[in-house]
């Protein structure tokens, strides 16, 4: 058999039944592909028919996606006001306000994830120091974060000892 001339047989394009996608991963992939197709067709409609258009979509993961020509905000404001006048027709090119919000949202999510990781690290360190003798651990191999947490634990221990001493003195003085 000559493998060079053989082509992989595919199912080709088929009409699919339109029904709710149940599997989460399939749902996200389907959304992503169909969203880009929808936005592309909407932009083509704007060019062909010289119309103004705005589309706002929330993904299955609750992320916001917008598409608008000339600008999503301008069109939505006109709709809210009930006018067909587009006062601010400055087109922002390919990047709209929603795209900027999407970027800011993504950055905020990344920062949130980093903070969650820091919190988990601190909790893990604290769990490790709840054992007897943690104050005798060598500090030579600790990272800066671990040293800071270690210092905070030492200060907390000192504060609790002072409170306990104060309680004991109050009991004896009665």
């Amino acid at each position: 058999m000559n493998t060079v001339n053989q082509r992989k047989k595919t199912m080709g394009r088929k009409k699919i039944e339109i029904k709710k996608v149940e599997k989460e991963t399939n749902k996200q992939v389907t959304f992503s592909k169909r969203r880009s197709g929808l936005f592309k067709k909407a932009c083509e409609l704007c060019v062909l028919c010289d119309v103004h258009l705005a589309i706002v979509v929330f993904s299955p993961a609750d992320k916001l996606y917008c598409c608008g020509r000339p600008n999503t905000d301008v069109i939505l404001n006109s709709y809210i006001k009930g006018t067909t006048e587009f006062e601010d027709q400055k087109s922002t090119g390919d990047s709209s306000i929603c795209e900027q919000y999407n970027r800011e949202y993504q950055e905020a999510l990344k920062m949130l994830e980093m903070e969650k990781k820091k919190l988990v690290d601190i909790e893990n360190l604290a769990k490790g120091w709840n054992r007897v003798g943690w104050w005798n651990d060598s500090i030579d191999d600790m990272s800066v974060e671990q040293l800071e947490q270690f210092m905070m634990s030492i200060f907390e221990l000192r504060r609790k000892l002072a409170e306990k001493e104060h309680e004991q003195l109050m009991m004896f003085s009665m």
Side-chain angles (χ1 to χ4, degrees):
M1 280 195 181
N2 189 355
T3 58
V4 175
N5 292 332
Q6 285 183 340
R7 296 174 84 185
K8 182 180 175 185
K9 292 191 178 197
T10 63
M11 294 175 60
R13 289 177 57 165
K14 288 186 173 182
K15 186 170 185 159
I16 63 164
E17 180 184 351
I18 301 297
K19 64 178 183 177
K20 183 177 179 181
V21 178
E22 297 299 327
K23 196 172 179 184
E24 282 301 314
T25 54
N26 292 354
K27 193 181 291 186
Q28 187 60 42
V29 169
T30 301
F31 172 81
S32 212
K33 288 181 179 180
R34 294 223 171 205
R35 174 186 48 102
S36 61
L38 174 67
F39 286 0
K40 181 180 175 186
K41 288 288 186 187
C43 291
E44 289 173 4
L45 180 66
C46 291
V47 171
L48 290 171
C49 301
D50 192 28
V51 295
H52 300 285
L53 173 127
I55 300 175
V56 178
V57 182
F58 286 91
S59 73
D62 290 330
K63 292 182 182 175
L64 172 69
Y65 295 92
C66 302
C67 174
R69 295 289 184 250
N71 181 314
T72 308
D73 288 337
V74 171
I75 295 167
L76 292 177
N77 286 334
S78 295
Y79 175 76
I80 290 168
K81 291 177 184 174
T83 66
T84 56
E85 297 174 10
F86 298 96
E87 309 85 32
D88 179 24
Q89 292 219 359
K90 296 177 191 169
S91 178
T92 57
D94 289 335
S95 63
S96 70
I97 301 283
C98 285
E99 289 172 351
Q100 178 185 346
Y101 291 152
N102 282 340
R103 283 191 298 275
E104 290 174 6
Y105 176 71
Q106 293 300 326
E107 289 173 16
L109 283 178
K110 287 178 186 174
M111 289 174 54
L112 178 63
E113 285 302 314
M114 289 189 324
E115 291 300 322
K116 283 181 181 178
K117 286 179 184 176
K118 284 182 185 177
L119 181 61
V120 167
D121 291 343
I122 289 171
E123 287 173 348
N124 288 340
L125 288 172
K127 285 177 188 173
W129 286 332
N130 284 337
R131 67 193 191 323
V132 176
W134 60 265
W135 51 86
N136 290 326
D137 289 349
S138 171
I139 61 172
D140 296 333
D141 297 329
M142 290 185 189
S143 68
V144 173
E145 291 85 13
Q146 290 172 323
L147 287 170
E148 288 173 353
Q149 183 63 36
F150 188 78
M151 279 182 44
M152 288 171 47
S153 298
I154 293 285
F155 288 131
E156 183 65 17
L157 176 62
R158 205 164 115 194
R159 186 187 63 77
K160 287 182 179 179
L161 286 171
E163 282 179 10
K164 193 70 168 173
E165 179 186 29
H166 182 70
E167 287 175 13
Q168 294 294 322
L169 288 173
M170 294 302 280
M171 283 180 41
F172 287 123
S173 63
M174 289 186 168

